Amino acid sequence: MPLGQRAGDKSDSRFSGMEVLDFPAGECLPAVLNQSLSSGFDFLLSPLVDPAYRPTPGAVLPVSASDLVLSPSQWSSHIVGKLSEWIDFDAEDEQLRLDSELTLKQEVAWASHLSLQACVLPVPKRSSCGNYARVVNQILQGLTNMQLWLRLPLEKSEPMDDDHDKVKNNDHMNEMEDSWELWNAFRLLCDHSSQLCVALDISSTLPSINSLERWFGEPVRAAILQTNAFLTNARGYPCLSKRHQKLLTGFFNHSVQVIISGRSKHDVSPVEGVLSGDENHTEGILIQHSLSPYLNYISYLYQRMDPLPEQERFEINYRDFLQSPLQPLMDNLEAQTYETFEKDIVKYTQQYQRAVAKALVDRVPDDAVSTTKTVLMVVGAGRGPLVRASLQAAEETGRKLKVYAVEKNPNAVITLHSLIKLEGWESMVTIISSDMRCWDAPEKADILVSELLGSFGDNELSPECLDGAQRFLKPDGISIPSSYTSFIQPITASKLHNDIKAHKDIAHFETSYVVKLHRIATLSPPQPVRPEFQFCVLDWLPLSDLVFTFTHPNCTANASNQRYTKLKFDMLPDIGSCLVHGKQLCI
Amino acid sequence: MPLGQRAGDKSDSRFSGMEVLDFPAGECLPAVLNQSLSSGFDFLLSPLVDPAYRPTPGAVLPVSASDLVLSPSQWSSHIVGKLSEWIDFDAEDEQLRLDSELTLKQEVAWASHLSLQACVLPVPKRSSCGNYARVVNQILQGLTNMQLWLRLPLEKSEPMDDDHDKVKNNDHMNEMEDSWELWNAFRLLCDHSSQLCVALDISSTLPSINSLERWFGEPVRAAILQTNAFLTNARGYPCLSKRHQKLLTGFFNHSVQVIISGRSKHDVSPVEGVLSGDENHTEGILIQHSLSPYLNYISYLYQRMDPLPEQERFEINYRDFLQSPLQPLMDNLEAQTYETFEKDIVKYTQQYQRAVAKALVDRVPDDAVSTTKTVLMVVGAGRGPLVRASLQAAEETGRKLKVYAVEKNPNAVITLHSLIKLEGWESMVTIISSDMRCWDAPEKADILVSELLGSFGDNELSPECLDGAQRFLKPDGISIPSSYTSFIQPITASKLHNDIKAHKDIAHFETSYVVKLHRIATLSPPQPVRPEFQFCVLDWLPLSDLVFTFTHPNCTANASNQRYTKLKFDMLPDIGSCLVHGKQLCI
């Protein structure tokens, strides 16, 4: 029974599980599962093989239950496998290393046989775990659907090496181990495998907020919440600290499932539960399981969250999804793309019309209104929204206007012609079916209006096109827009990195994508987005893209649009180490 | 309004359109569309550009309507573009050829601008149309989603070349043109593009049935039914000949949409329609459109069809979908795969149990029952269904049995052990966790039972495995099965060909796929499937696979499983030319 259903939220974070601590021998797994399901848990994190087992020739693997005791769909929907915790690949003892490798492979094969969705790899016993990663990487090559979740403590901990002498003599003895670094080393040795994920053990202490937020850019699949992480409220019921609550809400928002683990520390009578006054979320749940009070509290935290705003619900399927930016110079846009853009009233009426009106007033004083006709060129007129905005600005300011509408897409030109005819603008507007870069203009313009900005400012070649068009702008003419600047911010985004990596070529790594970023961690403060642009698309870029300002007209001698720069970012404090997968760029 | 909704049938064949014969000038397209939609048609096949237009520099394309008169979704859902019929790429007149190329490209660009789903290419004017195909192929390279449907007459016709002298002097003057050959030449020149499809004009005469059925393997998207193809019934209403009815039913079953074309030949009063007695399918349709009587008749034919059987509805998503066969020797099967196979009661109880019982009776006469113990080996025991069937056969016949269950999948061996324990078979069954090809058997077997047949008999390496296992079969021992034969049949299957071609490598063309074949044409009579195998999967294979019989035990000296053969197939009579894309193979 999921924690709840938030309207429109299709994330899988609303499922919760519990960890089975004792090996369910003697085919008792179905009973354990049934009790947990009827108590409101959705799945079990359960050992698959007797922990006393060590490989011996000819031995049959002592599994917790034959595949026949649960149906295939029960296995795959309700069981996450917990791989043997005794395994140690980086021990001095060779036999232990060999036994570990053989056992892990047998267990993963059994889990694949059962079509489990995931298995949890035990916490590395040492901070240097190269052999562990090697074996896991080898196993990952043969897995088709199953994920492996590497279990790690969230809090920083004592160095894990049990080579005591070394630790004692080590200068770093007082430094705590950062489990993110362990994760990073492990996943790099597994070549960023998309099937290798993380399960974080959460106990009573938490590291700094900035350090926690790094995990939102990593493939964390489960938060294993220890019962000893809970506090006790005045009525004796379990609850969490504010910081723990905030962390869990963050996990819920990033599709991280909760698994409750440990022995119950709160012996709560099932009759008068702390939440019994709230019928909505205790209805139908019998408080019979020793971990039920913890689940009820988690469920309460989930249901307490604000529902997603409508706009966010609409866009949920675009989260962390790579979209190739439009290339309107190379490809002619389609009618429905124009249709979408033309709906942006703010842009045309509030921004462009205002800007043209100001330029007209600036160039033509009130006493010259009847004698002066301003020449305005819309370069990239599309189906005419800027033509309309310009004519409305002229009417609003009482200025006389002559408009040239330059458009290279012959299909949009067809629509422009019918628009001019329909609106009776024939005397004011001349349509030029041409690329602005090669048009031979009959006169020079006072005002040059364009909307060639892509998501990153320059990625739809606005600078190159306007550089080609500025020949027919008068020396004192005005370009709208007159300048724009791109901004960037370094981020961790393992999901996007893996999606690009799946193409197995450099070309996709060199592509700028438009993405509604969600499962990322920002690593340095963002620079502010310019307020005059109301629309701001969040974008993701490879390492090569940087911050630039473009100004029109561009009066630099030998102006080139080749740009290169280096920027220095200051890391957020307390964040610890992190991996920069890419940059978030916007204008 | 679709023709109807047959339960579970998700094909798009239930939509019907009408052809707009006159150019809808002066923005009258919305009115034409509204009238057609309210009369029950789903879409229009409509000209996009004034047929009087010839390219002139600077001219604006005289389109039938600005993109603004319909919404983007109306354009893409309700309009199929009809490209100018005057174009002739293979004419002697060079200007005509150049004008044709320029116009076609402009029209397709306009259709792309409107995001139309498809455009119809005009009927080739000549049987040699290399330049036409070249231009279309060039256009196809730049299309992303839109399809081009080449319009062709279904019936054979007079040779199309208007080079009269040549025709007159030609020996083949009396031969009719086969439009399939024209299509085949055209699509080969377009390299089997998956966006190039066919629209067939159907008039009053039809070619032979076998020749018609070739089209079921081709990407036919529309049947353009001419009003002159209709007969008149006793009450003055339009109807179709039995052969036409059968053809249309075939088209409906193969996702071919119907477009009604031509002037109405039946002036039927709207009040007392021939079908007015049947309220189910005239309800809500106002007979106001001159083509409504034809649409009502087509709708009646559609609704008269038998609903798809439940099994067929369940499998509809697997139609013409390439599935890679299982490779149980290389990959260990998963629990849920065993589960599916074990449900086949017919196979285990009716076939294998019967066969083992017969073998036991054959080897042990009634008077030796108490003294003789038969040694039976199940090679590839999986989770035990053949072990169970063999023990039941022993009980049924009163024979004593000693069973070796040989299985190479260690996960299935785990289940076997718990099965033996659960059933109390420890004294009768010995489990061998080994590959049968390398097991060192302690004694020889009287009976060897296996179920290693793949979809094609040998593709899961049954011959190779059993050749390896027959060492431990007594010289007079029995193998169950003792022999199997594969059968093939040549087919046209352009959809599957294109799906394989999309991988752009030879490896996929060399792979044997399991397919629920539907949109195919069989080109030669199939050979009968052997009756003792109740399960028959239809398969599709590249050219290299042929018909073989395998016998076990295989006593040939130097037995090899390399096989090669040539087969000769007799074409169905009257079929005309056709293209063999592959072979249907089964056992």
Side-chain angles (χ1 to χ4, degrees):
Chain A
M1 194 201 63
L3 297 175
Q5 173 76 62
R6 285 196 297 151
D9 186 351
K10 291 178 197 141
S11 82
D12 51 6
S13 67
R14 61 201 177 84
F15 295 107
S16 59
M18 61 154 283
E19 179 171 5
V20 178
L21 299 176
D22 306 312
F23 178 63
E27 310 271 316
C28 75
L29 188 64
V32 175
L33 178 63
N34 285 337
Q35 198 211 354
S36 303
L37 291 181
S38 64
S39 304
F41 289 101
D42 302 298
F43 63 93
L44 300 182
L45 170 58
S46 172
L48 299 175
V49 172
D50 189 339
Y53 168 74
R54 295 295 178 279
T56 40
V60 177
L61 199 66
V63 296
S64 64
S66 148
D67 51 354
L68 300 173
V69 304
L70 299 180
S71 71
S73 72
Q74 280 180 311
W75 281 113
S76 62
S77 306
H78 299 307
I79 305 290
V80 169
K82 182 162 72 163
L83 302 173
S84 287
E85 293 183 312
W86 59 264
I87 60 176
D88 185 356
F89 296 93
D90 297 274
E92 292 290 314
D93 179 349
E94 186 181 355
Q95 192 59 46
L96 177 55
R97 291 204 308 272
L98 294 174
D99 282 357
S100 297
E101 183 162 346
L102 194 53
T103 304
L104 189 70
K105 286 180 178 172
Q106 285 175 328
E107 289 190 74
V108 171
W110 177 246
S112 299
H113 175 73
L114 301 173
S115 301
L116 302 192
Q117 290 183 43
C119 281
V120 171
L121 293 164
V123 179
K125 297 210 165 23
R126 300 141 201 286
S127 48
S128 146
C129 51
N131 193 40
Y132 191 177
R134 179 191 66 78
V135 173
V136 169
N137 191 32
Q138 202 176 76
I139 289 171
L140 285 167
Q141 307 309 311
L143 284 187
T144 44
N145 295 312
M146 197 167 70
Q147 291 181 343
L148 296 180
W149 300 348
L150 182 64
R151 188 169 185 165
L152 289 169
L154 177 60
E155 59 180 344
K156 295 188 179 185
S157 56
E158 298 287 336
M160 283 180 287
D161 281 289
D162 53 12
D163 184 341
H164 291 291
D165 293 339
K166 190 176 152 201
V167 172
K168 279 177 190 154
N169 299 330
N170 196 314
D171 286 349
H172 299 87
M173 191 187 160
N174 291 324
E175 283 193 14
M176 303 294 263
E177 291 274 347
D178 179 356
S179 56
W180 183 89
E181 291 195 30
L182 192 60
W183 157 245
N184 190 48
F186 204 100
R187 68 111 164 263
L188 288 176
L189 288 169
C190 293
D191 195 23
H192 264 89
S193 165
S194 60
Q195 286 167 272
L196 180 67
C197 305
V198 181
L200 290 173
D201 264 315
I202 299 171
S203 60
S204 55
T205 57
L206 293 179
S208 75
I209 290 179
N210 284 335
S211 133
L212 283 176
E213 291 190 344
R214 283 179 301 176
W215 291 107
F216 294 148
E218 302 290 357
V220 182
R221 290 286 170 271
I224 306 177
L225 198 54
Q226 302 296 327
T227 50
N228 65 20
F230 284 82
L231 308 172
T232 305
N233 73 4
R235 300 181 57 189
Y237 284 86
C239 62
L240 287 170
S241 74
K242 289 278 177 208
R243 287 191 61 209
H244 278 85
Q245 291 179 30
K246 191 162 172 244
L247 177 66
L248 276 191
T249 308
F251 280 152
F252 287 143
N253 275 328
H254 287 79
S255 301
V256 178
Q257 305 172 84
V258 169
I259 297 173
I260 295 173
S261 170
R263 310 287 172 194
S264 173
K265 313 280 183 199
H266 296 80
D267 187 15
V268 182
S269 130
V271 182
E272 40 165 1
V274 67
L275 302 163
S276 59
D278 178 357
E279 286 184 19
N280 285 335
H281 73 280
T282 53
E283 196 178 31
I285 302 179
L286 294 171
I287 304 186
Q288 54 183 3
H289 197 287
S290 67
L291 296 180
S292 285
Y294 304 96
L295 177 62
N296 289 348
Y297 182 76
I298 298 302
S299 198
Y300 156 74
L301 287 185
Y302 186 88
Q303 291 175 3
R304 200 184 59 172
M305 288 165 68
D306 292 330
L308 284 177
E310 192 178 356
Q311 178 69 14
E312 196 67 16
R313 282 209 302 275
F314 174 74
E315 292 175 350
I316 204 162
N317 290 327
Y318 292 93
R319 281 183 176 174
D320 300 310
F321 178 76
L322 297 170
Q323 296 173 270
S324 296
L326 292 172
Q327 302 233 16
L329 187 62
M330 186 169 72
D331 310 317
N332 286 327
L333 297 182
E334 294 177 355
Q336 55 194 19
T337 310
Y338 286 113
E339 173 110 350
T340 304
F341 287 145
E342 288 163 11
K343 283 181 181 150
D344 190 344
I345 304 295
V346 171
K347 176 180 170 188
Y348 294 110
T349 308
Q350 289 177 25
Q351 302 295 328
Y352 272 102
Q353 188 177 327
R354 256 177 63 203
V356 173
K358 284 191 174 178
L360 285 172
V361 170
D362 190 55
R363 289 192 76 81
V364 185
D366 284 342
D367 55 7
V369 160
S370 59
T371 55
T372 314
K373 185 178 270 189
T374 305
V375 175
L376 180 147
M377 291 175 181
V378 178
V379 285
R383 303 198 307 184
L386 290 180
V387 173
R388 183 186 298 276
S390 302
L391 291 174
Q392 280 169 351
E395 197 180 326
E396 175 194 332
T397 56
R399 266 64 181 173
K400 287 187 178 173
L401 200 61
K402 179 173 184 185
V403 175
Y404 288 93
V406 186
E407 176 53 51
K408 63 109 198 165
N409 176 355
N411 303 308
V413 167
I414 294 170
T415 316
L416 268 181
H417 275 282
S418 47
L419 178 76
I420 302 303
K421 197 171 152 199
L422 192 72
E423 299 281 357
W425 293 339
E426 288 93 338
S427 62
M428 290 177 287
V429 180
T430 309
I431 297 170
I432 308 295
S433 181
S434 169
D435 186 320
M436 68 181 83
R437 293 170 300 171
C438 38
W439 178 44
D440 190 12
E443 59 184 316
K444 294 219 170 191
D446 298 284
I447 305 173
L448 196 64
V449 185
S450 66
E451 49 165 334
L452 305 169
L453 297 179
S455 305
F456 320 138
D458 59 331
N459 66 302
E460 294 182 5
L461 300 179
S462 174
E464 287 79 358
C465 291
L466 291 182
D467 285 357
Q470 71 182 31
R471 318 170 262 122
F472 39 81
L473 183 63
K474 289 179 185 169
D476 64 342
I478 297 169
S479 169
I480 299 174
S482 59
S483 83
Y484 36 90
T485 302
S486 51
F487 287 68
I488 57 166
Q489 179 181 29
I491 58 173
T492 293
S494 67
K495 194 261 181 193
L496 293 171
H497 178 90
N498 279 349
D499 287 354
I500 293 174
K501 182 169 151 275
H503 290 285
K504 295 179 185 166
D505 61 25
I506 194 73
H508 285 83
F509 273 109
E510 294 285 344
T511 301
S512 305
Y513 291 100
V514 178
V515 179
K516 181 172 167 54
L517 295 169
H518 182 70
R519 286 170 57 179
I520 61 157
T522 54
L523 306 176
S524 186
Q527 300 200 44
V529 174
R530 284 169 67 103
E532 60 266 47
F533 284 95
Q534 299 292 326
F535 54 103
C536 169
V537 185
L538 299 182
D539 301 302
W540 190 89
L541 273 187
L543 290 165
S544 57
D545 286 76
L546 298 158
V547 175
F548 303 108
T549 295
F550 301 89
T551 309
H552 301 288
N554 180 3
C555 305
T556 330
N558 296 320
S560 157
N561 279 309
Q562 295 245 337
R563 278 165 175 79
Y564 175 82
T565 192
K566 275 190 192 180
L567 292 179
K568 192 181 158 200
F569 289 91
D570 292 321
M571 292 274 280
L572 295 169
D574 301 330
I575 195 168
S577 303
C578 54
L579 186 70
V580 178
H581 279 113
K583 306 252 186 298
Q584 171 172 332
L585 191 110
C586 40
I587 53 169
Chain B
M1 195 201 64
L3 296 176
Q5 174 74 63
R6 285 197 299 152
D9 186 351
K10 293 177 196 139
S11 80
D12 52 5
S13 66
R14 62 201 178 85
F15 295 107
S16 59
M18 62 154 282
E19 180 171 6
V20 178
L21 298 176
D22 306 312
F23 178 63
E27 310 272 314
C28 76
L29 187 64
V32 174
L33 177 62
N34 284 337
Q35 197 212 355
S36 302
L37 292 181
S38 64
S39 304
F41 289 101
D42 302 297
F43 64 93
L44 299 182
L45 171 58
S46 171
L48 299 175
V49 171
D50 189 340
Y53 167 74
R54 295 295 178 280
T56 40
V60 178
L61 200 65
V63 297
S64 64
S66 150
D67 50 356
L68 300 173
V69 305
L70 299 179
S71 72
S73 71
Q74 281 181 311
W75 279 114
S76 62
S77 308
H78 299 307
I79 305 290
V80 170
K82 184 163 73 163
L83 302 172
S84 286
E85 294 183 309
W86 59 264
I87 60 176
D88 185 356
F89 296 92
D90 297 274
E92 292 291 315
D93 178 350
E94 187 182 356
Q95 193 58 45
L96 177 55
R97 290 206 308 273
L98 294 174
D99 284 355
S100 296
E101 183 163 347
L102 194 54
T103 304
L104 189 70
K105 287 179 177 172
Q106 286 175 326
E107 288 189 77
V108 171
W110 178 245
S112 298
H113 176 74
L114 301 172
S115 301
L116 302 191
Q117 291 183 43
C119 281
V120 171
L121 293 163
V123 179
K125 298 210 164 26
R126 299 141 202 287
S127 50
S128 147
C129 50
N131 194 39
Y132 191 178
R134 178 191 67 79
V135 173
V136 169
N137 190 33
Q138 202 177 76
I139 290 172
L140 285 166
Q141 306 309 310
L143 284 187
T144 46
N145 295 310
M146 198 169 69
Q147 292 183 342
L148 296 180
W149 300 348
L150 182 64
R151 187 167 185 165
L152 289 168
L154 177 62
E155 61 179 343
K156 296 188 180 187
S157 56
E158 297 288 337
M160 284 181 286
D161 282 289
D162 53 12
D163 183 340
H164 290 292
D165 293 340
K166 189 176 152 202
V167 172
K168 277 177 191 154
N169 299 330
N170 196 315
D171 286 349
H172 299 87
M173 190 187 160
N174 291 326
E175 284 193 13
M176 302 295 260
E177 291 276 346
D178 179 357
S179 55
W180 183 90
E181 291 195 30
L182 192 60
W183 157 245
N184 189 48
F186 205 100
R187 66 109 166 263
L188 289 175
L189 288 170
C190 293
D191 195 23
H192 263 89
S193 166
S194 59
Q195 286 167 272
L196 181 66
C197 305
V198 181
L200 290 173
D201 265 314
I202 299 171
S203 59
S204 56
T205 58
L206 294 178
S208 75
I209 288 180
N210 284 335
S211 134
L212 283 177
E213 290 190 345
R214 282 179 303 177
W215 291 106
F216 294 148
E218 302 289 358
V220 181
R221 290 288 169 271
I224 306 176
L225 197 55
Q226 303 295 328
T227 50
N228 66 21
F230 285 82
L231 308 174
T232 305
N233 74 4
R235 300 182 54 192
Y237 284 85
C239 62
L240 287 170
S241 74
K242 289 276 179 210
R243 286 191 61 209
H244 277 84
Q245 291 178 30
K246 190 161 174 247
L247 177 66
L248 275 192
T249 307
F251 279 152
F252 287 143
N253 274 329
H254 286 78
S255 301
V256 177
Q257 305 171 86
V258 169
I259 298 172
I260 296 173
S261 171
R263 311 283 172 196
S264 172
K265 313 279 182 201
H266 297 80
D267 188 13
V268 181
S269 131
V271 182
E272 41 164 2
V274 66
L275 302 163
S276 58
D278 178 356
E279 285 182 22
N280 285 334
H281 73 280
T282 54
E283 196 177 31
I285 303 177
L286 294 171
I287 304 186
Q288 53 184 4
H289 197 287
S290 66
L291 296 180
S292 285
Y294 303 96
L295 177 62
N296 289 347
Y297 182 77
I298 298 303
S299 200
Y300 156 75
L301 287 186
Y302 186 87
Q303 292 176 0
R304 199 184 61 172
M305 287 165 68
D306 292 331
L308 284 178
E310 191 177 358
Q311 178 69 13
E312 195 69 15
R313 281 208 303 275
F314 174 74
E315 293 175 350
I316 204 162
N317 290 327
Y318 293 93
R319 280 182 177 174
D320 301 310
F321 178 77
L322 296 171
Q323 296 172 270
S324 296
L326 293 172
Q327 301 231 17
L329 188 61
M330 186 169 71
D331 309 317
N332 286 327
L333 298 182
E334 294 177 357
Q336 57 194 20
T337 311
Y338 286 115
E339 172 111 352
T340 305
F341 287 146
E342 288 164 10
K343 285 183 180 149
D344 191 344
I345 305 295
V346 171
K347 176 180 168 186
Y348 293 111
T349 309
Q350 290 178 25
Q351 303 293 329
Y352 272 102
Q353 188 177 328
R354 255 178 62 204
V356 174
K358 285 191 173 177
L360 285 172
V361 170
D362 191 54
R363 289 192 75 82
V364 185
D366 285 340
D367 54 9
V369 159
S370 58
T371 55
T372 314
K373 186 178 270 189
T374 306
V375 175
L376 180 145
M377 291 175 181
V378 178
V379 285
R383 303 199 308 182
L386 289 180
V387 173
R388 184 185 298 275
S390 300
L391 291 174
Q392 281 170 350
E395 196 180 327
E396 175 195 331
T397 56
R399 266 63 180 174
K400 288 187 177 173
L401 201 60
K402 179 174 185 184
V403 175
Y404 289 92
V406 186
E407 175 53 49
K408 63 107 197 164
N409 176 356
N411 303 308
V413 167
I414 294 171
T415 316
L416 268 180
H417 275 281
S418 47
L419 178 77
I420 301 305
K421 199 173 151 197
L422 191 75
E423 299 280 358
W425 291 340
E426 289 94 337
S427 62
M428 289 179 285
V429 180
T430 309
I431 297 172
I432 309 294
S433 181
S434 168
D435 186 321
M436 69 180 82
R437 293 170 301 172
C438 39
W439 178 45
D440 189 13
E443 61 183 314
K444 295 219 170 194
D446 298 285
I447 304 173
L448 195 66
V449 185
S450 66
E451 49 165 334
L452 305 170
L453 297 180
S455 304
F456 320 138
D458 60 331
N459 66 302
E460 295 182 4
L461 300 179
S462 176
E464 287 79 359
C465 292
L466 292 180
D467 286 357
Q470 73 181 28
R471 309 169 269 124
F472 38 79
L473 183 63
K474 289 178 183 167
D476 65 341
I478 296 169
S479 169
I480 298 173
S482 59
S483 82
Y484 36 90
T485 303
S486 50
F487 288 68
I488 56 167
Q489 179 181 29
I491 58 173
T492 293
S494 67
K495 194 259 182 195
L496 293 171
H497 177 90
N498 279 350
D499 287 354
I500 293 174
K501 180 169 153 279
H503 291 284
K504 295 180 184 165
D505 62 23
I506 194 75
H508 285 84
F509 272 109
E510 293 286 344
T511 302
S512 305
Y513 291 100
V514 178
V515 180
K516 178 168 171 55
L517 295 169
H518 183 69
R519 286 170 56 180
I520 62 156
T522 53
L523 306 175
S524 186
Q527 298 200 44
V529 174
R530 285 170 66 105
E532 60 267 47
F533 286 94
Q534 299 293 324
F535 54 103
C536 168
V537 185
L538 299 183
D539 301 301
W540 190 87
L541 273 188
L543 290 164
S544 57
D545 286 77
L546 296 158
V547 176
F548 303 107
T549 294
F550 301 89
T551 309
H552 300 289
N554 180 3
C555 306
T556 331
N558 295 322
S560 156
N561 278 309
Q562 293 245 338
R563 279 165 173 77
Y564 176 83
T565 191
K566 276 190 190 181
L567 293 179
K568 192 182 159 198
F569 289 91
D570 291 321
M571 293 275 279
L572 295 168
D574 301 329
I575 195 169
S577 303
C578 52
L579 186 68
V580 178
H581 280 113
K583 306 250 188 298
Q584 171 172 331
L585 191 110
C586 40
I587 53 170

